[in-house]
Amino acid sequence: MTKSSEEKSADFFAGPGEVRALARTLDWGATPLGWPDGWSPALRIAARAMLDSPFPICLWSGPEYALVYNDAYRRILAAKHPAGLGQPGSVVWAEIWEGLEQQFAQVRAGGPPVYFEDARFVMARLEGGQTEDAWFSYSLSALYDEDGTVAAVLNISPETTARVRAEAALHIERARLEEVVRRAPAFMAVVRGPTHVFERVNDAYLQLTGHRDVVGKAMFDAIPEARGQGYEELLQGVLDTGEPYTGRGLPVTLERTRGAALEERLIDLAIVPLTELDGTRSGIIILGTDVTDQVRSHREIERARDRAERLQSLSAALAATTTPEQVAEVVVAHAVAAMGADMAMLAVRTPNEAGDGAEDLVCLRQTGLTAEVSSDYSSFPVSASVPTATSARTGESFFFEDGASIRAAFPQIPDVFDRLGMQSLATVPLVVGGAIIGATTFGFSTPRTFAGEDREFFIALGRQAAQVLERARLYEAERMSRVRTESLQHVTAALAKAQSMADVGHVFSRELTRLIGADTAWVGVVTPDGSVIEALGWSGYADGEAEGWRWLPVDAGIALTDAVASARPQWWATRDAIAAAYPARAALIRSLAQDGVAVLPILGAPAWDRETANERGTNGANPVATSEPEDRAIGGIVVGFRTPQHFDTDTRTFFLALAQQCSQAMARARAYEAEQAARLEAEAARSAAEAASQAKSQFLATMSHELRTPLNAIGGYAQLLEIGVHGPVTAEQKRSLERIQRSQRALLAVINEVLNYARVELGAVTYDLHPTHISDVVAEAMPLVEPQRAAKKLSLLVRLPDVAGAPGLQVLADSDKLQQILLNLLSNAIKFTPEGGTVIVELGDQMDDRGHAVLRVSDTGVGIPADKLDLIFEPFVQVGRALNNPTEGTGLGLAISRDLARGMGGDLTVESTPGVGSVFTLTLQRATDD
């Protein structure tokens, strides 16, 4: 189901942070920006990067400069948060917008970026709308979309209010030296004489210089590491000339903790001469601030902006890719251009050709590799001891800043690095959804220090590449799945028309080369004696090329016979691989046109196929011979390609599905051939049965008179004796006469039952036709079949109109015979419906074309083949859905039922679909009101 804009917005702003939480609930549709799913790709990517940044960053988008910001910028907004999210700049910063609007317009019009150091603003950001002074070192730069338009203005705004105020305080305190010495947060020192002996220092100076005992000592004796950094000349120049000195962001290297390594700090410095009343200069005041953190933050902002622009450029290029190869090409090209790498490669994990569960890394794109190294590492195991494989195996990133560290970490392959001349290396894994799908490596021909921002760039690049690779993989998988599904449907439809084994071979081999891009295809089946694989058909071979493959001994010792013998498929990427596995046949293999080859066994029909096939026999014919076990191959398929192939998991699954379709088609072909033979046998049996039935009927009709006449005579004479016509009878004689009478009546009842059966066939049955409610007959029949229904757990549904007494529900019928028909139909339906199926008794709401009422009994059983429907009502012929199972009765039930229906002026017909079910339709004359 398609997600709404609100749901997509919640997904887009998923993650930690107060601003993200606010953005997930904001009605973006009411803002100038609209919902995030309608934003441009560049704006969406920049927004994600901004929300992850620890620096105060915001985006001003659209003609009204609508504001989107991160948690760090939220602190700048103060009381204007949360109302400012998504609002125009003229609303958010109304008090300062007049001065800012022109700067934004300059950037959006394609002008140069804007940057200001320590710009002062009077901002109404306090509670109640109160204003305050604030200072910022901010930049405005354009965020370009793919079409070159400006999607937004990127605003990086670290607040410098604290530093500016500190500098102002320092300036004031210069006029009050003693107060400054006592309270100044900036470092301060007073030195005297030409050797600059410390007279006084404050805590900030001690903190800067490592809390050394410096008072009373010459500066460059107390802080020897300061020599040679240019400060001796600065101090002496101020002392000599009396001219003060100021400097910003000056580097100084100091030992800030005893015994620790030297550390570089950045300072804003002021050197002021001390002049005595007589005008002589006796010393110097050193004032300053450690601005290391501020300068580095500023530099980090610049680097962050640079990284963001690089990643934005990469994202824009990746958005146009659709295949993994295109993704790899973009990633390698952009990373090399951005970082100046001399070598780069991107490789993804894939199952190896051996199919043993191990994985290889396949290089999708590389640059800077020699031809030899490129060939060696076009595909290599994930278990290999090389940086790319190790990263893809462990999920770790590696940054080696010199050749020695590379060789120490991977001593097994120093020659590779020597051949490539690599002196520094960066390798990051490609991880998406917690799964490592590959790795990418970048090499440099000179030693290189990978600063934090460089490492972050490579890691971010790996994350982004992994996501786009996964998107491309899913797209390609969906496309291939669609193509293969359509191909499988075409093959299945074509095979459905094949009626013989030879048809299957010709059709299947032709479809393989026509639909799936194979160059050659060969299909064969094991002969009944199991000694030979006989070709059923082939396609794509040159004239006469496949003739030598028409019969292959099962012990030939080639890939096909081994696959059939083991019932396991074989996947060969190249003919060289096959030749290596079968050296005795190497010359023949290399002479063939095929390179990549798939060898597929055709497995025996599954159990359900065998059972269904066995049910299709008729009149005692032998079951269809499809009883091969599933793990035994009944034939084989060879699919050849003239180029090397990589049979990945999806391709193998597709080919095995094709082989299964071939197996099922063979089972159907065998069943069809067997059914044809069974049909001829059944027709002969039916003719014999009809003759026997006619003879039987004639015999019964003749014998009826001959048997009943003497039996009636016996009964009459016994009755005369019993009433004393020929004289008195004793009590004992009377009892004997009663026994004679009972025996005569019992034998007569048996003969009458047989005669009634014979009369049905001879059309001599009498009918007591009268208006009969169908609902009453159905109600009486239901309890009689309930034990059968319950035993098979079937659903038995009765669908009759509610008003049972309406004239339209009465038929002209013999109620006993109507019930006999209904019971026969229900018993058959229950008998031939698998457990859990459904049987429905339904009175149609429309009459047939003769104005008769229509009663249907339908089931979800196994169904009856179309060519057997004509035989279903024949006497002594069990064509039914059990297909000639002699345990299912005498085969007279449906014949008698149809004769009874026709005897009542109606009819009984059937419609059936194998595997779907059957519908028996009973039509009877409707009773009239009079």
Side-chain angles (χ1 to χ4, degrees), residues 460-503:
L461 179 144
R463 279 197 304 268
Q464 194 166 6
Q467 292 170 355
V468 183
L469 277 171
E470 181 65 7
R471 183 200 69 192
R473 185 194 67 79
L474 292 174
Y475 174 83
E476 183 67 11
E478 188 276 334
R479 187 189 68 81
M480 286 302 300
S481 176
R482 183 174 65 253
V483 170
R484 287 169 175 171
T485 298
E486 292 173 355
S487 297
L488 195 58
Q489 291 171 347
H490 282 299
V491 171
T492 302
L495 287 174
K497 301 176 183 178
Q499 295 184 341
S500 67
M501 294 290 282
D503 289 344

Side-chain angles (χ1 to χ4, degrees), residues 53-57 115 137-139 154-160 294-308:
S53 175
F55 299 99
I57 302 175
Y115 177 75
S137 292
Y138 70 94
S139 66
L154 175 67
N155 181 198
I156 302 175
S157 304
E159 185 170 354
T160 60
Q294 295 174 8
V295 172
R296 288 177 178 171
S297 295
H298 176 72
R299 292 175 179 174
E300 178 59 30
I301 290 171
E302 292 298 317
R303 287 192 290 265
R305 182 173 61 187
D306 180 61
R307 290 197 304 273

Side-chain angles (χ1 to χ4, degrees), residues 133-210:
D133 290 346
W135 286 263
F136 297 85
S137 292
Y138 70 94
S139 66
L140 302 176
S141 58
L143 174 66
Y144 288 96
D145 215 326
E146 294 178 6
D147 58 1
T149 61
V150 177
V153 176
L154 175 67
N155 181 198
I156 302 175
S157 304
E159 185 170 354
T160 60
T161 301
R163 180 177 61 78
V164 170
R165 288 175 175 169
E167 290 179 354
L170 179 60
H171 179 72
I172 295 172
E173 288 174 1
R174 283 175 180 164
R176 303 175 184 177
L177 183 57
E178 292 298 328
E179 189 68 14
V180 169
V181 172
R182 187 172 66 85
R183 296 184 177 181
F187 63 79
M188 179 178 292
V190 177
V191 296
R192 299 283 185 177
T195 59
H196 314 300
V197 175
F198 285 104
E199 180 181 278
R200 181 178 296 174
V201 295
N202 68 353
D203 289 343
Y205 193 90
L206 292 175
Q207 182 178 2
L208 177 67
T209 57

Side-chain angles (χ1 to χ4, degrees), residues 73 167 196 306 315 367 534 554 598 604 608 691 747 797 822 827 900:
Y73 192 85
E167 290 179 354
H196 314 300
D306 180 61
S315 299
T367 185
E534 179 184 359
V554 296
W608 64 269
L747 181 57
L797 307 179
L822 182 59
S827 297
L900 291 177

Side-chain angles (χ1 to χ4, degrees), residues 263-501:
E263 179 182 344
E264 182 183 76
R265 305 297 291 177
L266 301 172
I267 57 175
D268 286 351
L269 185 64
I271 307 173
V272 181
L274 279 174
T275 304
E276 301 299 327
L277 293 177
D278 61 1
T280 61
R281 291 182 290 277
S282 61
I284 295 172
I285 299 175
I286 301 172
L287 303 171
T289 305
D290 186 345
V291 294
T292 303
D293 293 339
Q294 295 174 8
V295 172
R296 288 177 178 171
S297 295
H298 176 72
R299 292 175 179 174
E300 178 59 30
I301 290 171
E302 292 298 317
R303 287 192 290 265
R305 182 173 61 187
D306 180 61
R307 290 197 304 273
E309 290 174 352
R310 291 178 185 177
L311 290 175
Q312 288 168 10
S313 175
L314 174 64
S315 299
L318 287 175
T321 60
T322 58
T323 67
E325 291 75 15
Q326 291 174 348
V327 173
E329 182 176 1
V330 168
V331 169
V332 168
H334 276 68
V336 167
M339 304 304 292
D342 300 295
M343 179 277 292
M345 72 178 298
L346 186 149
V348 294
R349 297 174 67 149
T350 186
N352 67 8
E353 296 295 344
D356 56 6
E359 290 185 307
D360 286 342
L361 279 171
V362 174
C363 180
L364 296 184
R365 183 69 176 177
Q366 62 81 21
T367 185
L369 298 181
T370 64
E372 181 183 5
V373 173
S374 177
S375 175
D376 291 344
Y377 289 94
S378 61
S379 176
F380 53 99
V382 172
S383 58
S385 295
V386 297
T388 308
T390 304
S391 184
R393 186 172 63 250
T394 64
E396 295 182 61
S397 297
F398 301 104
F399 297 95
F400 301 105
E401 299 184 339
D402 56 67
S405 60
I406 301 175
R407 289 157 180 77
F410 298 97
Q412 302 92 334
I413 54 167
D415 61 309
V416 174
F417 304 116
D418 292 340
R419 281 184 284 167
L420 297 176
M422 293 297 102
Q423 294 300 315
S424 54
L425 203 69
T427 298
V428 294
L430 305 177
V431 183
V432 60
I436 309 171
I437 64 172
T440 184
T441 296
F442 302 92
F444 303 84
S445 58
T446 59
R448 179 189 180 109
T449 298
F450 293 103
E453 60 270 18
D454 291 336
R455 299 186 180 210
E456 291 175 8
F457 173 80
F458 282 122
I459 292 171
L461 179 144
R463 279 197 304 268
Q464 194 166 6
Q467 292 170 355
V468 183
L469 277 171
E470 181 65 7
R471 183 200 69 192
R473 185 194 67 79
L474 292 174
Y475 174 83
E476 183 67 11
E478 188 276 334
R479 187 189 68 81
M480 286 302 300
S481 176
R482 183 174 65 253
V483 170
R484 287 169 175 171
T485 298
E486 292 173 355
S487 297
L488 195 58
Q489 291 171 347
H490 282 299
V491 171
T492 302
L495 287 174
K497 301 176 183 178
Q499 295 184 341
S500 67
M501 294 290 282

Side-chain angles (χ1 to χ4, degrees), residues 54-118:
F55 299 99
I57 302 175
C58 62
L59 293 166
W60 304 85
S61 181
E64 297 183 47
Y65 300 106
L67 175 62
V68 183
Y69 53 88
N70 62 9
D71 282 353
Y73 192 85
R74 169 183 57 82
R75 291 187 285 274
I76 293 174
L77 287 170
K80 292 179 181 287
H81 170 80
L85 185 61
Q87 297 304 309
S90 59
V91 174
V92 178
W93 293 117
E95 68 273 24
I96 59 175
W97 188 248
E98 182 177 355
L100 289 174
E101 186 175 14
Q102 184 177 359
Q103 299 175 19
F104 279 85
Q106 170 186 319
V107 173
R108 189 166 66 182
V114 173
Y115 177 75
F116 286 93
E117 287 273 357
D118 298 332

